[in-house]
Amino acid sequence: MYDNLDLSLTKIECPNINFLEVTPQYLTKVISEGESEFGYFITGYLDNAKIKISEYRVSFKDSSICKYYLDQNFKTLSKGDIRRAIEKLSDSLHLPFNLANVTRIDLAQNMIMQYEEHLYYPYLGTAPYYNRLEQNNGLYYQNNKRTKLFYGKVHEQKIKKKQIPELYRGKNVLRFELRFIERLREQLKQPQITAELLYNESFYINLVKRWRDEYLSIQKINSKLRNMKPTGSTKELIEHMALIQLLEHGQPHVLAIIKEWQEQKLITKKQAQDHRNKIKKLASQKADDKGNELINELTRKVKEAARFP
């Protein structure tokens, strides 16, 4: 479930070690030296992991802990794996990285799906407190503290010309990631987040639940009604037609138009909110066709992954 991490070990944790004198000898390769506002620094690699060393800090950042430990970043790391990865990093650099501060945590899971990954994206609507952004190979939800995203993992590996594990070859692999990128202690309600906390049973279980709940908080959108049920109600007929049109254009697009109207003061704040509420209510109506099948499959896979992380 663990994907990327950013770790920072400071002089507070290692008061008797001169980072600049001792640590560079353990790097596989030194690639640069320089000065910053915080002083002199050395940047290099420990195998495929990027390490930055200064007088007061040794950082593991902008690298994949999965790739460092497994030599590939297709799979993710379990609670036991992350412990062994931290121990390997500590042994290799002769530093207590279990005491390092964690400044970023990415959780992810690969799910083998029945259909191609991009077919699921139109049925994932808005999420509270996030901006929704569609990309060529995925769907992003972003705010200042977190990012959650869906993308085709096999497709990504092919683009990067990376090897695909045999288990996933020829499969539709949808990956759902949750990234904690700022103010982790506040978000995760912890006075301090160190590397050794990552393999604490209770902390890990709560992180996985958060990953699941972040998926569940996304509004799910039903697909177009293929066979509209007969109705004698003109109001129901109009709502059915409105739903078809809404799903044709996409809920996020329609909501963006309403936001534009409000910003241009063509409608009031209350009118905009009423419009949004009606659109979300329409989009949540049940429809017996493939859209439900796709979303039900994805929801089932996410819940299964959270049950057996």
Side-chain angles (χ1 to χ4, degrees), residues 222-225 243 284-293:
N222 290 305
S223 63
K224 288 188 290 186
L225 301 174
L243 176 58
S284 65
Q285 290 181 18
K286 293 183 178 180
D288 296 325
D289 77 340
K290 194 174 182 178
N292 280 347
E293 178 187 344

Side-chain angles (χ1 to χ4, degrees), residues 1-2 31 41 46 97 111 184 215 291 302:
M1 189 68 73
Y2 283 114
I31 58 172
F41 67 87
L46 176 65
F97 255 86
M111 295 170 286
L184 269 64
Y215 165 79
V302 168

Side-chain angles (χ1 to χ4, degrees), residues 9 18 35 66 77 95 98 111 122 143 193 238 242 261-262 279 287 291:
L9 189 67
N18 187 318
E35 292 275 351
C66 296
L77 301 180
L95 292 171
N98 59 304
M111 295 170 286
N143 61 33
I193 300 177
I238 292 172
W261 290 350
Q262 181 184 350
I279 287 168

